[in-house]
Structures are given as C-alpha cells and as structure tokens.
Amino acid sequence: QTRDRYPTAPLLCDPPPFLSFTMLRTPSLAKTLRSIPKHNLSVLLSQQRAFSTAPVTVAIAGATGAVGQELLELLDERKFPLKNLKLLASARSAGKQIPFKGENLTVEELTEDSFSDVDIAFFSAGGSQSKEFGPAAGKAGCLVIDNSSAFRMDPKCPLVVPEVNAEAIPDAEDSMIIANPNCSTIIMNTVVWPLHQKANCKRVVVSTYQAASGAGAQAMAELEQQAKDWVAGDPITQDIFGRQYIWNLFSHNSPIEETGYNEEEMKMVKETKKIFSAPDIAVTATCIRVPVLRAHCEAINVTLESPMHEDEALEILSKSPGVTVVDDRENNKFPEPLDASGKDDILVGRMRRDLSQPEGYGLEFFVAGDQIRKGAALNAVQIAEEVLENYPTLLKKL
C-alpha cells in the first residue's frame, strides 16, 4: 500500500483471509493484527481458514454466467469447505460440463427440487429466477445468498457487505435469504463505511464509471467484438446495448424513473441507507457505462459531521479490511480499473479536501473495484464464510 502521504505509518497488510469480519470488529484483536508487520504475517496468510462447521453442500444457480464462473474460482482459491458442489442453470445449459478442481461437473437444470440436499445456494441467475426459486430453496432449509435485486429491500432479508454489517446475517433466520448488494453499492460502501464510523457521513455524492461486466458476460464479449470490428473497419456489433460502446460513454442502461434517476442510481441510494442502518444519510448518484471490461470506478464526495483531515482519512482506510490505498500524487498513480481487475480489494486514492465545503467537513476521493469479484462473487463467498464461522445455526441441515 502506498505510504507517500504518511511515511511514518507502519507497513501493514490486510488481515489473514481466515479471520472473519466479525472477529476484526473486536477492538483488541483488530488492533493487534493490524500492528503486525507485513512480513510476519506471511505464514498466517498461507494457512487455511478454520471453520467451526463440517464441510457443506453448495449449489450455484447461474453457474454458466460470469459471476457463476467467478464463484467457482473463489471457492477453490479460498479453500471453502465443500462436501459437495451442485451446478445449476437453465434447461438450455443443462448437461454442460464445467471443470472444477480437476474434475468435470455436469450442470443440472434449476428446479424447485434442486435444494433438498443443499446447505448454501449462491444465486446469480437473474431476478426472475431468484424470485421463482429462492423462496423454495429457503423452505427446503437451504440458505440462499442472492446476487440479484429481488430481495435487497425486503425487510426479512438482510442486505450484507461483510466489512460493514456482518452482524445483520442472523436476520435471515426466517426468510433463509441473504441479499448481496448492487455491485456499485458494495464498492462504494466498503470505502465510505470506515470514514462514516469515524466522522459520520451526512451526505454522499457519487458518480460511477461502470464496466461491461455489470451487464453480463455477453456485454463483455460484445465490447471485445466491437474493438475487433473497429480495427477491421467492419460495422460495429450492437446487439446488447444497441449502440457503439467502444470509444463511447452513455448513461447506465437501467430504466429511468419518474424522478429522472435510473434504477441503478436509486439502488445505490436505497441500499446504502439499509446497509448502514442510517435512514437519514443523504445519497445521490449518477451512473455511467464506460468501455472497460470488468472493474467499476467511482468518484465519491462525502460531507462529514465531524472534521477529518485527508491524511487521517487515508490512514483509516489503509487499515480497513477490503481496501488498498493507491495515492501517489508525485507519479500521478491512483486507482485504475486495469489495476483493480482480478483483485479482492477496492483501490482508493485521489484523496483531497473538498474546497467547496468548510475545511475538514468534506472529502473527495476516487475508487476502483472488480465488479465480478468484490462487486458480486467475492462478497457472496465472504458472506458464506461469515455464516460458517459465526452463524452456523443458520445452516439447518448440519
């Protein structure tokens, strides 16, 4: 992590991945871990997580999509304790073979009967599929972690970013559904939350620069195809967005509401209030598609109730789980989508005082985060890890 702005700070690393976010909110433990020099944690970082439950049976609904594929990679990479893995998708994808840990797994058709032997189901098959099959999975005693917008504002379903509100997970006791927030909300909240805890953010103004991956694997493929079309001098393929995407920006492709805000913008507004348990926090957003493959960027402005210097903000963020500071003014090195792609952490930089607000009460900064990873699949897997470690009673079949 960059220390140009605060050279006296010790060089720290993120907490080992087997330590839960609930554990890290224990002040004495968190303080101890964050004081350990990076090289002394190398052994810890190589260790496997210790979970308090037996291995579990997991299903992925939407296994053939971009997020489903990322989930598979993360389950392997993070040594998630699997007893069995079931891959589910639509009837047209049933029978496909998907490699996992040296084996070929056969995709099964997603039905209401798919979950009788499943402990945890990751849903990433779209809102309509989640609404149809999510409650059925819950009734079968399977804990659903849903990546769609279907249940995010349902009061019976917690909306969770583990770095922020892992303690909300037990609220899924009745519904058996935990909602994964919108990707842009996750990326913003992971960074804003530590500042909010210290200085109480009264208002957040965010402009997003959103990658093709947010619209799925086909949108990513079309962006690549448009680059090939442009180089070859061929007509630009425009099947997904109905316009040229490469060399262009356009307003996010979600429907516009009566207010003039689009659905994506309103998700950020409403979800932040629920995740922060702060109905009075003011949030406004402008969401834009940019010709980038898989990492979103966001320009964020916060108004604070208590004053905070920009160096203090960077110091706080440098010690916050899920965040890496990239803030090198001399070399003009700040968060970029290419650097964030494939990374677990959200990159944050361009930290500066908002000159339009009273000194210390406004900050401006820029973030970049992998939309498929932390914006979707990783957040879901982290929720499941929290369940295994701290809330195993939610797994009713164990």
Side-chain angles (χ1 to χ4, degrees):
Q1 296 181 357
T2 303
R3 290 292 186 273
D4 304 271
R5 308 278 298 285
Y6 36 98
T8 60
L11 182 61
L12 309 176
C13 78
D14 288 333
F18 54 81
L19 292 167
S20 70
F21 295 108
T22 302
M23 293 167 66
L24 288 172
R25 280 193 292 275
T26 304
S28 58
L29 177 59
K31 182 177 180 181
T32 299
L33 286 168
R34 288 165 181 154
S35 68
I36 300 174
K38 184 175 182 179
H39 64 275
N40 289 343
L41 274 174
S42 59
V43 175
L44 287 175
L45 287 168
S46 67
Q47 294 177 3
Q48 183 174 341
R49 292 166 198 78
F51 294 107
S52 59
T53 66
V56 294
T57 296
V58 169
I60 299 176
T64 58
V67 175
Q69 291 295 296
E70 197 77 12
L71 283 166
L72 284 169
E73 182 177 324
L74 286 164
L75 292 174
D76 184 18
E77 177 184 308
R78 296 172 73 86
K79 297 179 172 61
F80 194 87
L82 290 171
K83 177 182 178 182
N84 191 28
L85 179 61
K86 180 181 288 190
L87 305 185
L88 304 170
S90 64
R92 67 178 180 273
S93 295
K96 286 186 177 179
Q97 298 281 305
I98 294 180
F100 180 72
K101 298 181 74 169
E103 298 181 36
N104 284 325
L105 303 182
T106 302
V107 176
E108 303 174 30
E109 182 180 357
L110 173 61
T111 71
E112 288 190 0
D113 298 324
S114 296
F115 305 98
S116 60
D117 58 345
V118 175
D119 298 302
I120 299 174
F122 297 104
F123 269 69
S124 189
S128 61
Q129 298 286 79
S130 293
K131 289 176 182 177
E132 182 176 356
F133 299 109
K139 287 178 182 176
C142 171
L143 181 66
V144 173
I145 301 173
D146 181 52
N147 197 54
S148 78
S149 61
F151 305 105
R152 288 176 186 158
M153 301 313 297
D154 187 325
K156 299 186 296 297
C157 302
L159 184 66
V160 175
V161 178
E163 294 92 336
V164 178
N165 66 332
E167 66 277 3
I169 287 173
D171 294 343
E173 177 70 31
D174 293 331
S175 68
M176 290 295 286
I177 298 173
I178 300 172
N180 216 27
N182 173 266
C183 50
S184 299
T185 305
I186 293 172
I187 291 167
M188 178 177 77
N189 287 359
T190 301
V191 178
V192 172
W193 176 249
L195 306 179
H196 179 68
Q197 286 185 296
K198 177 70 175 181
N200 190 25
C201 293
K202 297 165 58 180
R203 184 171 189 249
V204 182
V205 180
V206 57
S207 297
T208 71
Y209 309 84
Q210 295 185 222
S213 56
Q218 289 183 328
M220 297 173 72
E222 180 163 288
L223 177 57
E224 293 179 317
Q225 183 59 48
Q226 286 193 358
K228 295 174 184 176
D229 292 343
W230 185 83
V231 169
D234 294 334
I236 301 294
T237 303
Q238 301 180 20
D239 296 332
I240 304 299
F241 294 119
R243 70 187 77 205
Q244 181 174 323
Y245 191 11
I246 192 170
W247 319 130
N248 194 23
L249 313 178
F250 56 93
S251 180
H252 190 278
N253 49 293
S254 55
I256 302 287
E257 301 184 357
E258 271 189 32
T259 59
Y261 285 77
N262 61 43
E263 284 185 1
E264 184 81 357
E265 292 158 354
M266 291 309 300
K267 287 175 185 177
M268 299 187 75
V269 172
K270 295 174 182 177
E271 292 175 19
T272 298
K273 293 174 183 285
K274 181 175 179 178
I275 295 163
F276 282 19
S277 296
D280 295 330
I281 189 171
V283 181
T284 186
T286 300
C287 296
I288 302 296
R289 283 274 183 222
V290 299
V292 170
L293 278 175
R294 60 175 289 161
H296 288 356
C297 293
E298 301 178 7
I300 302 173
N301 177 292
V302 294
T303 300
L304 307 172
E305 187 171 86
S306 304
M308 178 183 292
H309 190 273
E310 58 197 65
D311 288 343
E312 181 185 3
L314 285 174
E315 185 69 20
I316 289 169
L317 292 171
S318 74
K319 299 176 182 178
S320 298
V323 178
T324 294
V325 172
V326 181
D327 197 275
D328 182 354
R329 292 181 178 179
E330 182 177 351
N331 294 298
N332 194 36
K333 184 60 179 175
F334 301 108
E336 299 177 16
L338 282 178
D339 294 333
S341 295
K343 301 286 191 353
D344 288 352
D345 279 7
I346 308 303
L347 310 184
V348 58
R350 287 289 338 260
M351 183 66 71
R352 60 208 188 276
R353 179 169 74 87
D354 178 359
L355 300 178
S356 71
Q357 299 191 60
E359 185 168 358
Y361 289 90
L363 293 171
E364 293 262 10
F365 47 96
F366 192 75
V367 304
D370 189 306
Q371 182 275 329
I372 304 176
R373 208 166 178 88
K374 180 56 182 171
L378 175 61
N379 199 76
V381 172
Q382 288 172 325
I383 291 171
E385 290 171 347
E386 282 284 327
V387 170
L388 293 177
E389 184 60 33
N390 295 299
Y391 308 105
T393 57
L394 282 175
L395 303 177
K396 298 181 178 179
K397 297 176 184 176
L398 295 184

